[in-house]
Amino acid sequence: MAATLESKLYEAAEEGDVTVLPELIRQDREIIQRKPEFTKQVDSKGSSPLHSASAKGEGRNPLHLAAMKGKVEVLKELVRVRPQAARVAVASGETVLHLCVKYAQFESLRLLVDLMNDHEIVNAKDDYGMSILHLAVAYKQIEIIKFLLSGTGVEVNGLNTNSLTALDVLAQSRRGLKDFAIAESLRDAGALKATEISHSRPRIVRSRTETTMPRFAQDVPTNQPAKREDWLTRKRDSLMVVASLMATMSFQAGLTPPGGLWQDGSIQAPQSNNIKDGSHEAGTSITAYRSQSYYSQYLAANTISFIASMSIILLLITGLPFKRRFFMWILTVIMWIAISAMAFTYRISLLVFTPKAEELNVTHILDYALVAWLLVMALLLLAHTIRLTVNIFRKVESVVGTKRKPQPSLSYTNSSNV
């Protein structure tokens, strides 16, 4: 009977059957109340029912299953009846919140965090020292990350067993399109890398119910150089992510030129369309045979984009002093060159795909769009250059003014004139 009741309880939690669940829980509690000696009996191996329940399913109870399946109504009922079940760890020391992150169940996570309102379980770590924030960053669960950073009491700069923070986990993970948004969210919450923690105090996202003092009085740094360094660090990380994506796109575009590659070789082709030679080799670019001009422009623009992106990555990892605005301005200019070259690559690719009858109209449209793009880029470059020049002149004027500042003179009064 007990085995049947247990299986029904698991099935109800997994399927989200809220009507059956309270009755099964009532029956389960009634058995324990009437026969409490059942909980103390052991089998031939010396295991009690509690040991068996913990061992079965890697320690997962019905509440864990409901959280993994996203059964929010079942979770509410289970937490109400058995709140201690939410604190039971499963295999590898994972909590129910870890399971919510692993199975991308945002609503389950949000419900449990709000119901439990416990700083310790929010920051609980598994056997590898991974908190739910570490795990959410590793799985690129940006919605969960933003929720955790919005005021749940999560430790932003907690370390795992490898002494890595959440920001370190992001840096070592596989590059993706969400990396930029995740890095911005972490940095805005005061996240640091492990190497930066020794120079700063720990940062914790304050709980929503915490009212000890205003957030701005706790978290906003008081010294201006620290704020500037934080801004430069965020911008450097953003440039690294974008440069990596640009380099990947340029590399892929170089291997797969528009128009494709010849799949066969030495087949006689008609002497037209500016084809210099009727024969061709397998694995070579079709566009290179049909339009040498387009192919040369495409290759040049794509190569510029690739080299510029790789240059940014190389400069960022060499350890040069890129904590100054001037060096960051140089990196930004290189990034603009890479993006502009990628825009030219896009233009040429479309012209290669366009039929000859529509090539003139498409060319006009693309040229207008390209001119508008270059105009915007030029204005941005001019604005940044002017701002940088003004800052340089202010610093020079401040240094020169300090050197030329007259020393206070001592006036001596003639005692005879007194």
Side-chain angles (χ1 to χ4, degrees):
M1 176 180 176
T4 305
L5 183 61
E6 182 185 10
S7 62
K8 289 182 179 180
L9 187 61
Y10 273 87
E11 291 176 1
E14 189 171 4
E15 297 176 2
D17 195 342
V18 185
T19 58
V20 178
L21 189 66
E23 178 62 22
L24 294 175
I25 295 175
R26 186 191 62 78
Q27 295 179 20
D28 189 20
R29 299 174 72 174
E30 185 176 350
I31 292 175
I32 296 176
Q33 290 174 359
R34 290 187 178 183
K35 297 290 184 178
E37 62 272 14
F38 285 173
T39 62
K40 300 179 181 180
Q41 293 182 2
V42 295
D43 57 12
S44 58
K45 298 181 180 180
S47 298
S48 67
L50 181 60
H51 291 105
S52 301
S54 299
K56 187 173 182 179
E58 297 181 339
R60 294 176 182 174
N61 56 37
L63 188 142
H64 294 139
L65 296 177
M68 293 161 54
K69 295 292 184 178
K71 307 299 182 181
V72 178
E73 295 300 324
V74 174
L75 276 176
K76 290 181 181 178
E77 184 66 22
L78 288 173
V79 173
R80 183 184 66 83
V81 177
R82 295 284 182 86
Q84 67 274 15
R87 304 180 186 278
V88 177
V90 297
S92 302
E94 295 176 332
T95 66
V96 65
L97 300 184
H98 285 85
L99 295 177
C100 291
V101 176
K102 288 183 66 174
Y103 290 89
Q105 296 296 342
F106 172 63
E107 294 299 331
S108 297
L109 177 74
R110 181 166 59 180
L111 173 68
L112 290 171
V113 170
D114 291 339
L115 290 178
M116 301 174 70
N117 192 22
D118 189 342
H119 175 269
E120 291 186 3
I121 194 169
V122 170
N123 292 291
K125 298 179 180 180
D126 59 16
D127 294 345
Y128 303 99
M130 298 285 284
S131 67
I132 56 175
L133 182 60
H134 284 105
L135 205 61
V137 172
Y139 281 89
K140 307 296 178 68
Q141 300 286 351
I142 186 169
E143 189 177 19
I144 293 178
I145 294 171
K146 290 183 177 180
F147 168 71
L148 293 175
L149 298 176
S150 65
T152 59
V154 68
E155 295 180 2
V156 180
N157 295 317
L159 301 177
N160 61 12
T161 52
N162 293 324
S163 298
L164 299 177
T165 65
L167 202 58
D168 291 320
V169 172
L170 177 64
Q172 295 188 7
S173 64
R174 186 175 181 179
R175 295 295 180 187
L177 297 176
K178 298 179 181 180
D179 288 3
F180 177 76
I182 294 175
E184 285 292 307
S185 299
L186 290 172
R187 285 294 187 181
D188 289 341
L192 299 172
K193 293 183 178 180
T195 55
E196 301 171 337
I197 292 180
S198 58
H199 304 290
S200 179
R201 60 185 176 88
R203 297 292 298 272
I204 297 177
V205 177
R206 302 296 173 182
S207 176
R208 300 172 185 178
T209 59
E210 188 175 355
T211 58
T212 55
M213 60 187 302
R215 181 181 177 183
F216 68 87
Q218 297 172 336
D219 297 335
V220 177
T222 56
N223 54 341
Q224 190 67 21
K227 182 187 296 185
R228 182 178 62 184
E229 182 177 346
D230 184 64
W231 175 84
L232 290 174
T233 302
R234 291 203 306 269
K235 190 169 184 180
R236 181 185 60 191
D237 293 341
S238 301
L239 284 174
M240 175 63 81
V241 173
V242 177
S244 300
L245 293 176
M246 291 287 296
T248 303
M249 293 171 57
S250 301
F251 180 81
Q252 188 65 29
L255 297 181
T256 55
L261 304 174
W262 292 110
Q263 301 300 314
D264 49 13
S266 301
I267 296 180
Q268 200 70 17
Q271 300 291 334
S272 61
N273 296 329
N274 298 325
I275 300 178
K276 296 181 180 180
D277 190 359
S279 62
H280 56 263
E281 297 181 0
T284 57
S285 173
I286 297 177
T287 305
Y289 284 83
R290 296 188 178 279
S291 178
Q292 184 64 39
S293 175
Y294 278 160
Y295 182 73
S296 300
Q297 295 176 33
Y298 174 85
L299 199 61
N302 189 69
T303 303
I304 292 173
S305 177
F306 179 74
I307 293 177
S309 302
M310 294 297 292
S311 300
I312 294 174
I313 298 174
L314 180 63
L315 290 173
L316 285 175
I317 65 177
T318 51
L320 294 177
F322 288 116
K323 292 184 178 180
R324 297 182 179 273
R325 290 183 180 271
F326 176 72
F327 295 108
M328 294 304 300
W329 177 82
I330 293 177
L331 290 179
T332 304
V333 171
I334 298 176
M335 177 56 68
W336 286 341
I337 294 174
I339 295 176
S340 299
M342 182 60 67
F344 276 102
T345 305
Y346 174 79
R347 173 185 179 275
I348 298 168
S349 299
L350 290 186
L351 291 178
V352 170
F353 296 145
T354 303
K356 293 294 182 181
E358 299 294 332
E359 184 175 358
L360 185 60
N361 295 331
V362 174
T363 301
H364 288 323
I365 296 174
L366 293 176
D367 286 343
Y368 291 146
L370 197 59
V371 169
W373 167 260
L374 292 177
L375 181 60
V376 172
M377 296 292 289
L379 291 176
L380 289 174
L381 179 61
L382 180 62
H384 280 269
T385 304
I386 293 175
R387 186 175 64 177
L388 180 64
T389 305
V390 170
N391 290 334
I392 293 176
F393 273 111
R394 286 179 179 175
K395 290 183 179 180
V396 171
E397 183 180 0
S398 175
V399 173
V400 174
T402 303
K403 291 182 178 181
R404 293 182 178 179
K405 186 176 181 180
Q407 298 295 328
S409 58
L410 297 176
S411 59
Y412 298 93
T413 305
N414 193 343
S415 59
S416 61
N417 294 331
V418 178

